[in-house]
Amino acid sequence: MATNAKGKIEITDLDFDAVKSNFQNFLSQQSQFTDYNFEGSGMSVLMDLLAYNTHYLAFHANMLANEMFLDSSVLRANAVSHAKALGYTPSSMKASNATISISVADVPTSQSSLVMPAGTIFTTSVNDTTYNFVTTSDTTSTSDSGIFAFTDVKIYEGTRISFQYTVNSSNLEQQFIIPSANVDTDTLKVRVQNSSSDTTTVSYSLNTDYTNLTSTSTKYFLQEVEDGRFEVYFGDGVSGQKPVDGNIVILDYVVTNGSDADGASAFAAASTIGGYSNITVTTISSASGGGLSESVDSIKFNAPLKFASQTRAVTPDDYKSIVPSIYTNIKSLSVWGGEDNDPAVYGQVYISIKPNTGTTLTTTTKNSIVNSLKAFNVASVTPVIVDPITLLLELTTTVKYNSTISEKTNTDIRALVETAISTFNTNNLQKFDSVFRHSNILKAIDDADQAILSSTVALKLKRKITPTLNAATKYTISFNNAAYHPTNNHSQTVLESSGFFLSGNTNEQFIDDNGSGVIRTFYLLGGTTKTITNATAGTINYNTGEVVLTSLNITSVSNADGTLSITLKPDSNDVIPVRNQVIEIDTVGSSTTAEIDTFAEGTATAGVGYTTSSSTSSVGSAYTTTTASDSSSSSSSSSSSSGSSSSSSSSGNGSSSGY
């Protein structure tokens, strides 16, 4: 802030110091204050007061202006209000849910039916913590054998609550607020009882279509109000039926702990069912789907998309807006049309979800999402949910540091670098569309400690598949990134694998390429001689990074997690994910070396005796090559896997093809 040519106060800068300086400049230009010492007088205190007041007012005005728009709002209440204008209701917490079947035996054969009431409790344990799962509706089973079966029963983690309001139109401020925090609104059931003396009830359903509302539509509406709680409200007698005085509004719902119970797989009945205790519980699908209430950032992102979709799903963006309202346990979401798939499949839209908890969705959860999408689908589009594919990065990192400016040891520096890489992995990767930028990882490493002078990072790409054992199977593994291939028949292989065993051969096998697009299987004779067992085991497209293993009858694998690791040397140090690919650094399979920089410490002169490391990854080690049918060694050498590949995590699908 300053004064302009006319001596007027400019108001572009509103911080305290600028405001005070501007006051001084303005007053000093007035004839009444010529040669006046503002800093050494009581006037300075008054200008401090005015500057603070101006600054505070400007700050609050700025914040108020920000809260007037969805994009810039910070307070949840304001974001929710703006979203409501777009017809969007934020998602509540989601209870972890499972599907079970129950068998009740030793019931007298004279009893033909058995009711399992809503609120029936089943217990389980996760990480030594006990959780309750409940049913949300009555279920009836019929039998004449004394054994009653309840199949495919969905249970939710939490406590089932029932709350009532009596309608009183004279109370103009009456609200039907769900009083409990952490409610899962998907479990909410709304009933309206005629009166305290007439227990007849009518069930109301959540309205999702405003075009078909009539004066008799038994629909309720839902909105988030203060403190993150939710309010149920009804129609006005024109658009939706309006409850009358004396009606009793009954709200049944589940209060949950979110995702805490995800993964639970063993359940037991906590009490009798219908008075009978011989109960057997079988788990159909383990608990999953728990999640927190929708964040402010998510509301700001999803509300405009939901408004644009107009409650119909046609384009990928429509699905991106609708899916989070159906299933909230989403860390990252990718949607693409069938025409963009590889291979192209017209009439389908592909959805891939990386959940906040777990790695993939259960079959039950996938089916539930697809069924929920039927209300939004157009007839010509079929949604298909596919699992994320994890594209692992193996990093070989070397840093040089100046030990004269730091007391940290080699081990300390290496630990700091590994922490920086892990943090980079968490903050910048592990989501769809998260690109690995080589320069960004170098910056993160260099910033790990002031003593670090330089760094190099060589990388390899790795996919892990679960092979079909004891059956000749074709595998297609797509990296969707070009492989290193300077010329045909180049000596360095770009492909390697972890160990595996083939039918009819007791030697541990590996794969590599011949430099011209052909994949081979081999074993190491005496640990030094690469002995090729199949010179045409598959193909590699260096331009696309697609690996095809034509027919491998694998009997077992060396990886403890039951997977086969396929590693590729990329052509670029930047890695781009495609469709349902998620890039993640393999922190276990990566390595870090810290070295003292000899030039910085004066032991190397003009580069003499100064060692460097390459940022180009190397695949395998050089071995003498022969074939299983020829015991004589060839003079040629190539690169191959030196043995097993280690990783603590398993990813990729076990199918014979991938995207």
Side-chain angles (χ1 to χ4, degrees):
M1 195 164 70
T3 55
N4 58 26
K6 297 182 179 180
K8 303 296 184 180
I9 297 177
E10 298 285 354
I11 56 172
T12 54
D13 298 322
L14 295 174
D15 63 277
F16 171 80
D17 291 330
V19 171
K20 183 177 179 180
S21 176
N22 183 58
F23 284 155
Q24 289 180 346
N25 292 335
F26 175 76
L27 292 175
S28 64
Q29 297 175 20
Q30 311 304 310
S31 58
Q32 298 92 328
F33 298 98
T34 302
D35 300 326
Y36 198 87
N37 184 4
F38 294 99
E39 291 294 337
S41 68
M43 184 69 74
S44 179
V45 178
L46 294 177
M47 285 190 294
D48 284 347
L49 182 63
L50 290 172
Y52 274 122
N53 183 66
T54 303
H55 174 69
Y56 288 152
L57 289 175
F59 174 81
H60 286 290
N62 182 67
M63 295 299 297
L64 180 62
N66 287 338
E67 296 299 320
M68 294 175 63
F69 304 95
L70 178 62
D71 289 343
S72 55
S73 59
V74 175
L75 300 178
R76 181 180 184 88
N78 293 326
V80 169
S81 179
H82 293 306
K84 184 181 179 181
L86 298 176
Y88 184 79
T89 302
S91 299
S92 68
M93 288 191 68
K94 299 300 178 184
S96 182
N97 61 88
T99 303
I100 61 174
S101 291
I102 305 104
S103 176
V104 183
D106 296 337
V107 181
T109 55
S110 59
Q111 185 170 332
S112 60
S113 65
L114 183 66
V115 176
M116 182 172 63
T120 300
I121 300 174
F122 298 86
T123 60
T124 187
S125 179
V126 178
N127 297 326
D128 297 325
T129 302
T130 300
Y131 295 93
N132 290 338
F133 281 67
V134 297
T135 59
T136 58
S137 59
D138 295 343
T139 308
T140 301
S141 175
T142 58
S143 176
D144 57 5
S145 65
I147 300 175
F148 292 83
F150 301 87
T151 60
D152 295 335
V153 177
K154 201 164 189 177
I155 54 177
Y156 297 84
E157 185 278 322
T159 304
R160 188 171 183 267
I161 304 293
S162 185
F163 196 86
Q164 298 182 359
Y165 288 97
T166 300
V167 178
N168 181 8
S169 60
S170 64
N171 182 2
L172 301 179
E173 297 182 354
Q174 184 176 40
Q175 293 178 284
F176 307 118
I177 296 176
I178 302 174
S180 306
N182 301 336
V183 60
D184 180 355
T185 58
D186 287 349
T187 66
L188 176 64
K189 297 184 183 299
V190 178
R191 295 173 293 151
V192 176
Q193 182 176 315
N194 285 345
S195 66
S196 59
S197 60
D198 183 355
T199 58
T200 304
T201 62
V202 177
S203 295
Y204 281 60
S205 59
L206 178 64
N207 180 69
T208 57
D209 186 359
Y210 292 88
T211 61
N212 295 321
L213 285 176
T214 68
S215 61
T216 58
S217 298
T218 52
K219 300 287 186 177
Y220 73 89
F221 307 88
L222 194 67
Q223 65 179 355
E224 184 177 324
V225 290
E226 66 273 4
D227 300 325
R229 287 175 167 79
F230 288 85
E231 177 193 5
V232 171
Y233 63 102
F234 301 89
D236 57 1
V238 178
S239 297
Q241 184 166 308
K242 181 181 180 180
V244 298
D245 286 352
N247 283 170
I248 299 174
V249 176
I250 306 171
L251 308 177
D252 299 312
Y253 53 89
V254 172
V255 175
T256 180
N257 294 296
S259 62
D260 291 358
D262 277 1
S265 58
F267 300 91
S271 61
T272 63
I273 297 178
Y276 304 102
S277 59
N278 189 354
I279 302 170
T280 302
V281 181
T282 303
T283 302
I284 306 301
S285 63
S286 300
S288 64
L292 299 174
S293 58
E294 189 169 6
S295 66
V296 173
D297 287 341
S298 178
I299 295 171
K300 292 161 65 173
F301 178 81
N302 288 320
L305 293 177
K306 182 67 176 295
F307 179 76
S309 72
Q310 295 295 300
T311 66
R312 80 300 181 250
V314 179
T315 68
D317 282 343
D318 293 341
Y319 283 92
K320 278 188 177 181
S321 69
I322 294 171
V323 169
S325 66
I326 297 173
Y327 182 77
T328 60
N329 184 29
I330 297 177
K331 182 176 182 179
S332 187
L333 173 67
S334 179
V335 183
W336 65 97
E339 68 278 5
D340 296 322
N341 197 60
D342 184 19
V345 182
Y346 297 97
Q348 293 186 346
V349 60
Y350 290 89
I351 303 168
S352 189
I353 297 173
K354 181 177 175 62
N356 285 310
T357 55
T359 56
T360 59
L361 304 182
T362 64
T363 301
T364 301
T365 300
K366 293 177 183 176
N367 292 337
S368 176
I369 295 173
V370 171
N371 290 332
S372 298
L373 286 171
K374 290 180 179 179
F376 307 95
N377 289 343
V378 296
S380 59
V381 180
T382 301
V384 179
I385 299 180
V386 297
D387 291 331
I389 293 176
T390 302
L391 184 58
L392 294 170
L393 305 183
E394 281 191 359
L395 307 184
T396 302
T397 305
T398 303
V399 298
K400 289 185 177 292
Y401 69 99
N402 188 351
S403 63
T404 64
I405 63 172
S406 175
E407 296 182 354
K408 294 183 177 67
T409 65
N410 181 292
T411 302
D412 296 333
I413 295 293
R414 186 171 68 250
L416 288 172
V417 171
E418 290 173 347
T419 299
I421 292 174
S422 178
T423 302
F424 181 90
N425 186 39
T426 301
N427 295 341
N428 298 277
L429 303 175
Q430 303 184 58
K431 293 183 178 181
F432 301 113
D433 301 326
S434 292
V435 178
F436 175 83
R437 302 289 184 187
H438 186 250
S439 60
N440 292 342
I441 190 72
L442 292 178
K443 183 178 185 303
I445 294 171
D446 290 345
D447 291 342
D449 191 84
Q450 62 176 356
I452 296 176
L453 301 177
S454 65
S455 59
T456 58
V457 174
L459 69 138
K460 294 183 289 186
L461 309 182
K462 182 166 70 178
R463 284 280 312 277
K464 304 182 79 175
I465 63 170
T466 303
T468 302
L469 301 182
N470 301 307
T473 306
K474 177 181 179 180
Y475 301 92
T476 300
I477 304 102
S478 295
F479 289 88
N480 295 115
N481 284 263
Y484 175 74
H485 189 238
T487 60
N488 281 336
N489 298 309
H490 60 86
S491 61
Q492 188 185 53
T493 59
V494 302
L495 192 70
E496 67 177 354
S497 76
S498 58
F500 59 94
F501 292 86
L502 292 173
S503 177
N505 198 315
T506 59
N507 297 296
E508 186 182 24
Q509 305 283 322
F510 307 92
I511 66 170
D512 72 353
D513 68 295
N514 68 352
S516 297
V518 179
I519 296 174
R520 309 172 297 189
T521 61
F522 68 92
Y523 66 90
L524 295 175
L525 182 62
T528 58
T529 302
K530 180 190 292 185
T531 305
I532 297 175
T533 52
N534 187 350
T536 57
T539 59
I540 175 174
N541 187 321
Y542 295 109
N543 293 326
T544 65
E546 182 178 80
V547 175
V548 179
L549 305 175
T550 52
S551 183
L552 292 185
N553 191 344
I554 298 175
T555 58
S556 63
V557 294
S558 301
N559 283 350
D561 60 4
T563 64
L564 175 65
S565 302
I566 309 295
T567 305
L568 181 76
K569 177 181 177 181
D571 188 55
S572 172
N573 282 331
D574 291 341
V575 183
I576 311 297
V578 178
R579 292 181 290 275
N580 58 327
Q581 283 185 325
V582 178
I583 298 175
E584 180 177 337
I585 296 174
D586 182 3
T587 55
V588 175
S590 300
S591 62
T592 301
T593 302
E595 301 175 349
I596 294 175
D597 190 286
T598 56
F599 184 80
E601 299 192 359
T603 56
T605 305
V608 178
Y610 187 82
T611 59
T612 60
S613 59
S614 174
S615 61
T616 302
S617 60
S618 176
V619 178
S621 306
Y623 299 104
T624 303
T625 304
T626 186
T627 61
S629 60
D630 185 4
S631 59
S632 62
S633 298
S634 171
S635 61
S636 65
S637 65
S638 64
S639 299
S640 74
S641 172
S642 60
S644 63
S645 174
S646 64
S647 176
S648 63
S649 61
S650 174
S651 61
N653 57 41
S655 63
S656 61
S657 64
Y659 300 107

